[in-house]
Amino acid sequence: MEHTVKSYEAELVQLDQKLSQMGGLVERLLGDAFASLERRDPRLASEAIAADQAIDSLQKEIEELAISMIARRQPMAGDLRLIVSTLKVAGDLERIGDLAKNIAKRSLAVASESRPQSLILGLRHMAELAMRSLKNVLDAYMTRDDEKALKVWRADTDIDALYNSVFRELLTYMMEDPRNIGLCTHLLFGAKNIERIGDHATNIAETIHYMVRGKPLVDDRPKGDKTSVTLIDNDPGERN
Amino acid sequence: MPTPAPRPFLERLPGSGRSLGAIAAGVAALAGGLAAFGGDVLMVVAALAGAAAGFVAGEIWRGTAGPETDATPPSPIELPPVRAPRPVPSRAPELTAQSLMDALPVPTIIVDETFVVRHANRPARDVFMALREGGPIALATRAPEFARAIEAVLTDGKTERVLLHERVPVERRLDASLSPLEADGGGVGAVLIVLHDNSERDRLAQMRADFIAHASHELRTPLAALRGFIETLQGPARNDAVARERFLGIMGSESQRMSRLLDDLLSLSRVEMRAHLPPTGEVEIVETVREVIESLAQIAKAQGTEVTLDAAVGNRMIRGDHDEIVQVFVNLIQNAIKYGNKGGHVRVTVSDIRSGASAWVRVAVTDDGPGIAEEHIPRLVERFYRVDDKSSREKGGTGLGLAIVKHVVTRHQGELRIDSRLGVGSTFAVEFPLDESK
């Protein structure tokens, strides 16, 4: 459909549609990236890496449209918040796309390494939570659903808790057998990327709250990532 | 507001033969596209297309007048003349695009040229929970190829077909057929989308593979143990009565564990099979919990554990599958008995919670056992994840109980919350949205 710019309203709708389109691409990229890691599918990984370009160019389109709208229409109050929020959300989505692309790249690097399937289970669990958060927060954006956004915001502690657990698990594998180090390091970065994706979903949730309510979320964001202070004793009794 | 005001697209339809004709044509067009989906769907759609076309021609609801009967030749036996049946006035409700779509057993959605959902029938809303009329189609799926297909139908007026692969909230594969609906002034005014869910077929294949992989992996250890004991009993311990008693005891419990494992694997497969289908039955929570506690009385007694029910609410109905809900409570309460302290206390609490506009019922199972370390909590629902492999095996755990709980709860749109402190105890709570129509 040709989007001839008819009115301000039409432009706002167009902005929403572009963001939704971008969201769809990012959701797909994240899903494909993790699937390529899990199933060791280099073809899927390459597709995912290539898809990031479309996301970047959509972000530019959204930026241009939003800036030109601000300049020409001089929006006020709710509309101004909406346009600024779209800009911010597009930025977060672009970052999520980058992080997902990075997972796809790592899957290329470890495609030939042998590994026990149990290693990927924790990561899979994390990826599922992150994909769910991303879907819910995008749905919340489209429906301006503050409550749904807050749910995503709170659910981020689950991803963090899982990340802590996966972090410990991977460290233990590395200590058990140094031959695991190469693979586990890539998986560790993959887990970190997913954890960061969760944080960006939380950012989007905060933006939605601001957009709908007109005031920022005052509480501190729930933070549960403790891996920066985690050390594991080299005690063989630790593993069960 | 950025969401465009819903245009009265469907409201125009009832009186307008032309638009209904367009719907009929759209449905008929779909019949062709659906041919690959299988016979029965095709027949239903074809029949509906016929019905809609007939309605437009003003035929079907009024019946047809038969030939004149006045000129009947005299017959040897006098019989009352045969009359054409009198036309019966139709008592059918006015046929609208909505009623037509609602009658279709397949998920069907109409999207207008601004990508706003004009109508979605019940099966469609079951497939896409977030979907709502007047909202953007992106709430159903933001899959890039789906949006592209809608756009292509709107511009070219041709039918399109896309395969959708959704990963969250449950994995599923959908085959979508998109056909143009003619606008009043000519051109394409909207897109009719019919979905066919292929998840079950794909899932079945995946499920078989998973089942075999897990069964062979998990059964290997107990089987090896059994064989070892059998060989010992046949050989060195042939005449050792004490060892024989002990070994037979272990063999008995190992074989019991194997059959439990198979049971759990089968339940998990069944639940996963249906993960994409919303539950259809109704379950009353308080009574169900009470029954489960009674059924576990023997096990609790053997452990010296006291199980108490604290239900501060009356009947609470949810939309759910009775057997699956029972299994959730059995698994949670049994776990609490098993992993709590011997002679301890398990408290089951049923309460109401409100979350914004929606009402939920919460069932919490609290034990006073040793508790679970923080890093294990988020992993407990993963299949075969065990906090302590040895202790779990001793207690006959299969590593699947909570995975089953999590799957059932997800299918019921519910939540599972786990709270635990070392040395204090654990609380496993499930929350289900109440069936508001009750």
Side-chain angles (χ1 to χ4, degrees), chain A residues 102-130:
Chain A
N102 187 268
I103 295 174
K105 280 185 179 165
R106 290 181 189 284
S107 89
L108 285 180
V110 298
S112 58
E113 299 231 15
S114 72
R115 62 167 170 239
Q117 201 54 31
S118 61
L119 267 184
I120 205 92
L121 275 178
L123 234 69
R124 186 208 170 98
H125 193 173
M126 282 186 78
E128 273 172 10
L129 288 190

Side-chain angles (χ1 to χ4, degrees), chain A residues 140-174:
Chain A
Y141 184 87
M142 321 239 77
T143 48
R144 322 294 190 233
D145 187 341
D146 183 34
E147 201 183 301
K148 193 166 195 167
L150 281 175
K151 259 192 186 159
V152 173
W153 193 72
R154 289 193 199 101
D156 192 49
T157 47
D158 292 350
I159 300 183
D160 287 348
L162 205 50
Y163 174 56
N164 291 332
S165 173
V166 168
F167 183 87
R168 292 177 71 100
E169 191 185 20
L170 289 170
L171 282 193
T172 324
Y173 275 113
M174 289 195 246

Side-chain angles (χ1 to χ4, degrees), chain B residues 91-102:
Chain B
R91 277 181 293 152
E94 199 178 4
L95 183 64
T96 61
Q98 258 118 336
S99 62
L100 184 65
M101 277 173 61
D102 288 338

Side-chain angles (χ1 to χ4, degrees), chain B residues 170-390:
Chain B
V170 283
E171 179 153 19
R172 73 179 135 214
R173 286 165 201 279
L174 299 156
D175 197 340
S177 274
L178 300 90
S179 334
L181 293 176
E182 208 178 301
D184 271 354
V188 182
V191 180
L192 178 67
I193 301 163
V194 177
L195 299 157
H196 185 75
D197 200 334
N198 287 331
S199 316
E200 192 141 334
R201 196 188 58 202
D202 295 328
R203 208 175 285 255
L204 197 60
Q206 184 59 43
M207 213 63 35
R208 281 201 189 112
D210 281 359
F211 183 85
I212 292 168
H214 289 314
S216 53
H217 182 259
E218 289 291 315
L219 289 177
R220 193 172 294 152
T221 322
L223 257 180
L226 276 186
R227 274 179 43 198
F229 285 124
I230 291 171
E231 278 164 22
T232 318
L233 283 176
Q234 284 170 335
R238 186 186 288 271
N239 297 314
D240 184 342
V242 180
R244 189 169 55 224
E245 266 320 294
R246 203 165 64 83
F247 287 178
L248 283 174
I250 301 174
M251 288 164 74
S253 66
E254 279 296 300
S255 59
Q256 268 171 22
R257 207 173 73 79
M258 284 163 70
S259 69
R260 255 198 313 274
L261 186 71
L262 282 176
D263 285 347
D264 277 1
L265 270 173
L266 281 173
S267 329
L268 186 62
S269 297
R270 264 199 300 271
V271 176
E272 285 191 333
M273 233 7 248
R274 289 182 295 202
H276 64 293
L277 302 170
T280 48
E282 281 176 356
V283 185
E284 200 288 301
I285 292 295
V286 179
E287 202 42 48
T288 309
V289 172
R290 204 185 304 273
E291 281 165 16
V292 169
I293 292 177
E294 274 165 27
S295 74
L296 293 173
Q298 282 300 322
I299 298 174
K301 209 171 155 194
Q303 285 276 325
T305 301
E306 188 196 1
V307 184
T308 53
L309 172 64
D310 176 12
V313 297
N315 286 1
R316 289 291 177 269
M317 282 294 198
I318 64 162
R319 192 177 170 196
D321 179 310
H322 184 263
D323 292 352
E324 288 186 4
I325 298 289
V326 165
Q327 181 149 34
V328 164
F329 295 144
V330 168
N331 287 5
L332 289 183
I333 298 172
Q334 209 170 13
N335 274 355
I337 297 171
K338 241 176 0 198
Y339 298 106
N341 285 331
K342 262 197 168 139
H345 181 202
V346 172
R347 210 170 66 242
V348 185
T349 322
V350 185
S351 56
D352 281 334
I353 45 172
R354 285 223 147 253
S355 162
S358 54
W360 296 58
V361 61
R362 170 188 163 98
V363 179
V365 180
T366 308
D367 65 49
D368 49 7
I372 304 159
E374 197 184 4
E375 69 264 24
H376 294 301
I377 292 178
R379 313 289 304 275
L380 294 174
V381 296
E382 290 167 20
R383 57 178 68 181
F384 299 120
Y385 188 88
R386 293 183 180 97
V387 173
D388 183 344
D389 222 17
K390 190 159 159 281

